[in-house]
Amino acid sequence: MILNKPTVISPSGAFCWFQDPRAVYIEGKYRRTYVGWISNQGKLEVGYYDHNTDEVKTNVIKEYWDIDDHNVPSFLVLPDLRLMIFYARHNKENLYARQSLNPEDITEWSDEITVAKMEKVTYSHPVFLENEKCFYVFWRGNTWKPTFATSNDGIHWSDTRVLFQDKGKEAENIRPYLKVVSDNKRTIHFAFTDGHPRNEPFNSVYYARYEWGNICRADGTCIGSLDTLPILHSDCDKVYDAKKTGARAWIWDIALNTEGNPVIVYTRMPEESKHFYHYAVWNGKQWIDHEITFAGPWFPETPKNIEEKEPHYSAGICINHSNTQEVYLSRQINNVFEIERWTTCNGGETWSHTPITRSSMVINVRPIVPWGYNKKQGHVLWMRGNYVHYTQFQTSIFCWIEK
């Protein structure tokens, strides 16, 4: 059962959670939510839901882009309300981008450009800083490290550079996972891990921000600049230290509260079958971390007599970027994963929650609130259906708006 019946954006679609934003809301001539996905036929698609008319429209960007939910686009809303999308295939060559030809439209696109030429690219996080009049895009590059390029026009891009990388030979094989958010004016905020929790038994969570050429901790301490890259993990804030608890972590979202301070949600996994959602906020002096709730085990539906390939895949949590005291999450209830809205009024110390889905027959996972949506009514998108692996899924993309 789903409360306030949602709209099906696509009957076939899935997305990973390491592209940001995967969905955006634009209010101009129209009021629309835009989202991207990969179909189970390997089509790279984008679509929108119109809040005024309930119309759903989709467009195929690539007829075949591999059946892999890592391959979905990230969005950048340009100042004139045109869309720019960035996309790559999982650990394959090059990062690409296209711009819509008209504001608030997905039907006509510019020719594809190559943002970065390299052998292995995964994920993307685009940003436009108004004060610098500069485009940035971050991704995982050849060395498995957070990598980026810049542009003054969104068409011609700089050489690529590694952003974060720890010292030592062991660090060469570690692959940090990165989440990015910006005030879209002068700062870019980063949350990242040591690596993949499968490989790092003490996978911790770190934070740093970029501002006017410098890389800083949350308290403003400068730890480097664009001239001294890469930045060492050990110089950044350690939001969560897994060595103190023995529970490895994985990052899920980062947002900025009304004071402009970062808020991070992530999972702790003391065991592969026990995932807990956590909420960490910088209060101006220190990081305050609270547990939200138990999530359950991994969400992929493991075939019988098969060892689960991705036991660290939590069902998913996201922050409402326009109200960081509200999160949407998926947790296991009666052996199925359901979407819920959780709210706090005291920085995450206590929470109340309401269901979005209930008594479902299939899983509901990876919720995302469209970036830019700032209305009082609740709004969330998610994947619903059956999911075995990131290359084997029968899920739909659902869109819910509170009535």
Side-chain angles (χ1 to χ4, degrees), residues 82-367:
R82 288 182 302 119
L83 289 165
M84 188 170 185
I85 55 173
F86 295 77
Y87 47 95
R89 292 183 296 169
H90 191 187
N91 290 338
K92 293 188 177 180
E93 69 285 347
N94 300 344
L95 175 64
Y96 302 97
R98 296 178 77 178
Q99 297 182 16
S100 63
L101 296 183
N102 302 300
E104 303 176 79
D105 180 58
I106 61 170
T107 61
E108 295 182 285
W109 295 86
S110 66
D111 292 338
E112 181 178 86
I113 65 168
T114 302
V115 174
K117 292 183 178 181
M118 55 175 51
E119 293 178 0
K120 294 181 181 180
V121 175
T122 312
Y123 315 125
S124 57
H125 309 266
V127 170
F128 178 73
L129 290 185
E130 182 180 331
N131 290 9
E132 293 185 11
K133 298 295 187 288
C134 186
F135 294 84
Y136 290 77
V137 62
F138 304 86
W139 68 91
R140 188 176 75 190
N142 279 350
T143 63
W144 303 97
K145 304 300 184 289
T147 304
F148 75 102
T150 62
S151 173
N152 293 322
D153 58 9
I155 299 173
H156 304 91
W157 291 83
S158 70
D159 292 338
T160 63
R161 304 180 68 187
V162 172
L163 181 62
F164 297 112
Q165 179 173 334
D166 246 357
K167 288 181 179 178
K169 202 159 184 78
E170 291 182 0
E172 293 179 5
N173 298 318
I174 293 176
R175 46 176 171 170
Y177 280 76
L178 178 73
K179 301 291 284 188
V180 178
V181 72
S182 174
D183 67 357
N184 301 316
K185 294 180 180 179
R186 65 180 189 180
T187 63
I188 307 173
H189 302 252
F190 309 101
F192 59 99
T193 62
D194 290 292
H196 194 300
R198 176 177 55 230
N199 304 322
E200 309 303 325
F202 302 108
N203 210 37
S204 299
V205 177
Y206 301 84
Y207 166 85
R209 78 167 185 263
Y210 164 83
E211 185 170 2
W212 292 117
N214 294 316
I215 310 296
C216 306
R217 297 194 189 107
D219 65 3
T221 301
C222 182
I223 54 176
S225 72
L226 296 187
D227 296 325
T228 61
L229 296 178
I231 301 298
L232 301 178
H233 288 54
S234 55
D235 288 338
C236 301
D237 283 4
K238 186 172 277 191
V239 178
Y240 166 65
D241 187 348
K243 289 185 177 179
K244 292 183 178 179
T245 67
R248 66 192 77 192
W250 218 355
I251 194 73
W252 270 89
D253 202 2
I254 179 172
L256 304 178
N257 63 20
T258 54
E259 289 77 37
N261 291 330
V263 179
I264 295 170
V265 289
Y266 67 98
T267 50
R268 291 189 194 180
M269 293 164 279
E271 299 176 22
E272 290 180 333
S273 61
K274 294 181 180 179
H275 298 206
F276 295 83
Y277 293 130
H278 273 254
Y279 181 93
V281 58
W282 175 258
N283 69 358
K285 296 181 179 179
Q286 61 182 328
W287 288 97
I288 305 297
D289 192 316
H290 293 290
E291 180 184 306
I292 302 174
T293 188
F294 177 58
W298 61 79
F299 87 86
E301 297 162 299
T302 314
K304 289 184 179 180
N305 303 318
I306 299 294
E307 183 178 358
E308 175 54 45
K309 296 178 181 179
E310 300 292 350
H312 305 101
Y313 275 17
S314 305
I317 181 171
C318 71
I319 304 168
N320 179 350
H321 283 223
S322 295
N323 176 12
T324 58
Q325 296 192 95
E326 178 179 271
V327 303
Y328 288 81
L329 58 83
S330 174
R331 67 183 179 115
Q332 191 178 59
I333 302 172
N334 297 325
N335 295 316
V336 68
F337 287 95
E338 306 279 15
I339 304 294
E340 296 177 329
R341 176 167 54 183
W342 286 62
T343 58
T344 181
C345 60
N346 50 20
E349 186 173 347
T350 59
W351 295 84
S352 59
H353 65 278
T354 56
I356 304 301
T357 66
R358 182 184 289 166
S359 303
S360 299
M361 301 301 293
V362 293
I363 62 172
N364 303 271
V365 296
R366 293 185 179 167

Side-chain angles (χ1 to χ4, degrees), residues 15-24 33-37 46-47 69 72-75 124 179 252-253 317-319 321 366-371 381 383:
F15 43 62
C16 186
W17 76 99
F18 279 108
Q19 287 89 347
D20 288 318
R22 284 151 283 146
V24 293
T33 289
Y34 301 83
V35 62
W37 61 87
V46 297
D69 72 19
V72 300
S74 58
F75 290 85
S124 57
K179 301 291 284 188
W252 270 89
D253 202 2
I317 181 171
C318 71
I319 304 168
H321 283 223
R366 293 185 179 167
I368 175 71
V369 176
W371 290 21
L381 299 97
M383 294 161 42

